[in-house]
Amino acid sequence: MMRRNHQNEFIQTVRAALGHPAFIRRKAPELFPHQPCLHAAISDQALNRSVSERRLLLEKFRQEAIPLNLDVIGVDSAHDAAETIVSIVRQKETEWGQTKHIVTWKHPLIDRLNLSDRLSGMDMPVHVAEIEIADRDEFCKQAQHAIIGVTSADYAIAESATLVLKTRPGQPRSVSLTPSIHIAVITLNHLIDSFRELYAILQSDPADVAEGLTSCMTFISGPSKTADIEACMVHGAHGPREVYVLVLLSPDQLTAQNSQKQENADGAVDVEKSGLNAAEIIRSNQAVFSNQ
């Protein structure tokens, strides 16, 4: 147990780091300083980098991904991304059953891949998450039997090779967590440098502010792993055993993320008008995913 005097020293150090007087206790909403001008400046820098600057972030992301067993693949177009996914699906063996099921987000970037058409006739059904709540129970069962889940991401943090995924209608966390293999398709525009930038964006970017925090925000840094048993590293114990990030390198591939952010912001207003409060939304999501 921490001695009382050491505890006080520790708390005073934290307060000083947050820029607060060491001996003044604050209420919970006041714990973190709100600095709109600073957040806006950081957010503006993060969201308005040049293509060359984003390519440098991609290289940083690649280097951080190596020790995490996270595969990062650059592709020139949505067509190339789709062909890469089809190749992965063909190569991988199912862990149970004979049919290779694929589940995907309902997302503009994923829609452009036309995976259902590309895999038709191969006995590899593609199940797309629908926005309607009535369809979600069936989709959860499909996700549990899927070998591959395909998502996009909201942001990709270069300093730790971390994908940031918000849970929304049509974009459930089951797609990234339940299948044996997770494939995330992003553009250069998704890349940011640090968690500091992510925090600033969530605080000040108009689209993110309009949407607010969803019922879940998932941070993914490589495949699931554990060394609990005999200190032996095992992948896939609590989630996907393999994770791939496909990055669209062409600058003209950036519109899908921008349109999705605007749809999310518009959708947040619609949810607010629907009369659902935050607790009801969280309960509905918990009910949907409780069987995963």
Side-chain angles (χ1 to χ4, degrees):
M1 181 180 294
M2 187 182 296
R3 292 183 180 179
R4 189 68 181 176
N5 59 333
H6 291 166
Q7 182 185 61
N8 289 335
E9 291 174 2
F10 175 79
I11 292 175
Q12 289 171 19
T13 300
V14 172
R15 287 173 178 160
L18 293 174
H20 299 317
F23 297 98
I24 297 179
R25 300 185 64 178
R26 294 175 177 265
K27 298 179 180 179
E30 302 172 348
L31 288 178
F32 297 97
H34 183 57
Q35 300 172 299
C37 293
L38 177 60
H39 294 159
I42 296 173
S43 175
D44 183 67
Q45 178 186 22
L47 297 176
N48 293 286
R49 286 190 170 96
S50 66
V51 173
S52 60
E53 289 173 328
R54 292 187 184 280
R55 288 182 180 273
L56 291 175
L57 282 184
L58 175 57
E59 183 56 32
K60 183 177 180 179
F61 189 97
R62 286 182 194 271
Q63 293 301 316
E64 294 299 326
I66 293 172
L68 301 174
N69 288 327
L70 173 63
D71 291 297
V72 182
I73 303 172
V75 293
D76 290 327
S77 66
H79 175 272
D80 294 336
E83 289 299 312
T84 301
I85 293 173
V86 170
S87 177
I88 293 172
V89 174
R90 286 175 171 169
Q91 292 174 14
K92 301 301 178 180
E93 297 296 331
T94 60
E95 296 171 314
W96 54 82
Q98 299 298 319
T99 304
K100 297 179 180 179
H101 291 269
I102 297 94
V103 290
T104 79
W105 271 7
K106 181 66 177 175
H107 185 283
L109 192 53
I110 307 305
D111 293 345
R112 290 170 56 195
L113 304 180
N114 296 317
L115 292 177
S116 295
D117 293 340
R118 294 177 186 276
L119 294 171
S120 63
M122 300 183 189
D123 194 25
M124 300 176 185
V126 178
H127 310 283
V128 181
E130 298 298 336
I131 295 176
E132 292 76 13
I133 293 178
D135 299 320
R136 293 185 185 175
D137 288 339
E138 179 62 26
F139 183 79
C140 282
K141 295 177 183 178
Q142 294 165 345
Q144 290 169 3
H145 292 90
I147 180 175
I148 289 177
V150 183
T151 73
S152 185
D154 289 274
Y155 299 101
I157 302 175
E159 71 174 359
S160 58
T162 299
L163 297 171
V164 182
L165 286 68
K166 290 185 180 181
T167 295
R168 305 181 182 89
Q171 298 171 18
R173 63 179 183 262
S174 59
V175 178
S176 65
L177 298 178
T178 307
S180 301
I181 300 168
H182 173 211
I183 302 174
V185 184
I186 65 172
T187 71
L188 288 173
N189 220 27
H190 288 91
L191 288 159
I192 60 176
D193 183 59
S194 63
F195 279 90
R196 182 170 184 254
E197 288 188 352
L198 175 66
Y199 179 78
I201 291 168
L202 296 176
Q203 289 286 318
S204 60
D205 178 58
D208 280 284
V209 171
E211 181 183 30
L213 292 178
T214 60
S215 62
C216 177
M217 182 182 290
T218 305
F219 298 87
I220 299 173
S221 298
S224 165
K225 58 185 74 70
T226 182
D228 290 347
I229 302 175
E230 297 183 352
C232 180
M233 180 65 71
V234 176
H235 288 92
H238 308 295
R241 54 181 165 80
E242 298 178 42
V243 178
Y244 298 84
V245 179
L246 307 187
V247 187
L248 302 184
L249 300 176
S250 177
D252 62 2
Q253 304 292 329
L254 305 182
T255 54
Q257 186 204 9
N258 294 330
S259 63
Q260 177 66 22
K261 286 189 71 173
Q262 188 58 53
E263 286 179 18
N264 294 338
D266 295 341
V269 176
D270 292 338
V271 169
E272 188 174 313
K273 290 180 179 179
S274 71
L276 288 174
N277 59 37
E280 289 171 332
I281 295 171
I282 292 171
R283 282 197 297 270
S284 68
N285 278 277
Q286 289 173 338
V288 168
F289 299 111
S290 60
N291 294 323
Q292 295 179 10

